[in-house]
Amino acid sequence: MTSILNSFVILFLVCIIGKGYGCSLNNIEITQSKTPLFYKGNIPIWKVVITNTCDCGQRMIKVECKGFTNAQKIGISKFLVLSEFCVVNNGDRMVKNEKFEFQYAAKQQQLFKPISSTLQC
């Protein structure tokens, strides 16, 4: 009986570790690059890719976006600007390796930094 219980505990721990319960904000990767395009002739257009690298899904991903405005967004509606933070993908779940991409126009690159999310395993 004890060996069965020990086996169950070990299996449970392996499942927890393997399912990404150790995920952190480091599992939300944000990359940016300047595109060759310009808005209104002289304002650079930037491309942002936000990727969930956690084994678990994550929802309500919030990123710091101080000073970012809706006017800067180009053709996106699922990136909600709320004062000093923004909500990615309308707060909907992003599964492992799912990417959320958007573009914005600005003379300088905007800082986007993950500040919180909710795991969904």
Side-chain angles (χ1 to χ4, degrees):
M1 179 68 168
T2 303
S3 64
I4 293 173
L5 183 61
N6 286 343
S7 296
F8 178 76
V9 169
I10 290 171
L11 181 62
F12 177 74
L13 291 173
V14 167
C15 288
I16 287 176
I17 292 167
K19 290 288 185 187
Y21 286 95
C23 293
S24 69
L25 292 178
N26 291 331
N27 294 104
I28 300 169
E29 292 182 356
I30 301 176
T31 59
Q32 284 193 73
S33 58
K34 190 186 241 184
T35 73
L37 306 173
F38 290 87
Y39 180 73
K40 294 189 177 180
N42 64 346
I43 301 172
I45 295 178
W46 301 84
K47 178 181 178 180
V48 180
V49 179
I50 301 173
T51 307
N52 173 27
T53 62
C54 176
D55 286 336
C56 292
Q58 296 194 65
R59 65 177 185 81
M60 286 308 298
I61 297 172
K62 294 178 186 173
V63 296
E64 180 182 316
C65 61
K66 188 175 184 177
F68 192 72
T69 67
N70 281 314
Q72 294 174 279
K73 299 187 307 185
I74 298 176
I76 57 168
S77 61
K78 296 181 92 178
F79 190 72
L80 306 174
V81 180
L82 306 169
S83 67
E84 297 194 5
F85 69 89
C86 295
V87 178
V88 177
N89 197 32
N90 277 349
D92 294 339
R93 183 176 192 241
M94 290 179 62
V95 297
K96 181 179 181 179
N97 295 324
E98 183 174 352
K99 296 180 184 320
F100 178 83
E101 300 180 16
F102 69 96
Q103 295 182 341
Y104 67 95
K107 291 189 180 196
Q108 299 293 320
Q109 186 177 34
Q110 172 74 39
L111 172 67
F112 296 104
K113 178 180 156 188
I115 55 174
S116 69
S117 72
T118 302
L119 285 178
Q120 279 193 314
C121 291

